[in-house]
Amino acid sequence: MEGGTAWKLGEFSSPGRIVQCISISPKSKQLIAAGGDDKKVQILKLDQMSKPLQTLTGNTSPVLATLFDFKESAIITGSAGGSVKMFDLLEERVVRSFSGHLSSVVTLAHHPHGDYISSGGDDTNVRI
């Protein structure tokens, strides 16, 4: 950071697992989603990073992108297999699956009003 100051707020180690992506919750800014090559997403709390709050399973290939919804009640994942999945954080399960990408989904974004999710993939397509 040029001319700025950086602080280390926490650190999380996940032995035997490659973390492929992270996202920070937009509302509280206290939750972190870490997707990995083990097909799982770990949800961590910024001030308690020593142990995940949740571990979400349901992806069938490595998780390459994560995104919290605006209410922080769901997490959206993009995977190496081309799928996009929405997990309910209270129920800890997949509630929606989207297909259509022919290869890895590497980025996710949502519309400012929260009504739409977009995904970008290695197949050169953007889906909304």
Side-chain angles (χ1 to χ4, degrees), residues 45-117:
K45 192 156 189 245
L46 191 58
D47 61 354
Q48 299 171 351
M49 292 184 67
S50 61
K51 182 181 176 195
L53 294 173
Q54 295 173 288
T55 298
L56 304 173
T57 60
N59 284 292
T60 57
S61 58
V63 177
L64 304 178
T66 55
L67 178 71
F68 282 94
D69 74 332
F70 284 123
K71 296 177 185 175
E72 298 178 9
S73 62
I75 186 92
I76 297 94
T77 64
S79 74
S83 68
V84 174
K85 296 185 184 290
M86 179 182 286
F87 290 82
D88 182 298
L89 290 176
L90 289 177
E91 296 180 19
E92 297 186 31
R93 67 179 186 90
V94 176
V95 292
R96 295 221 32 204
S97 292
F98 305 92
S99 60
H101 282 285
L102 302 175
S103 61
S104 299
V105 174
V106 295
T107 189
L108 298 165
H110 43 67
H111 189 275
H113 297 294
D115 295 336
Y116 305 102
I117 299 292

Side-chain angles (χ1 to χ4, degrees), residues 9-59:
L9 298 176
E11 184 174 1
F12 172 68
S13 179
S14 190
R17 174 180 195 258
I18 297 171
V19 175
Q20 299 283 353
C21 57
I22 59 168
S23 60
I24 298 173
S25 58
K27 188 175 176 182
S28 71
K29 298 176 181 32
Q30 292 298 307
L31 299 176
I32 297 169
D37 66 333
D38 59 356
K39 309 172 194 170
K40 298 176 184 175
V41 176
Q42 292 181 317
I43 308 297
L44 306 143
K45 192 156 189 245
L46 191 58
D47 61 354
Q48 299 171 351
M49 292 184 67
S50 61
K51 182 181 176 195
L53 294 173
Q54 295 173 288
T55 298
L56 304 173
T57 60
N59 284 292

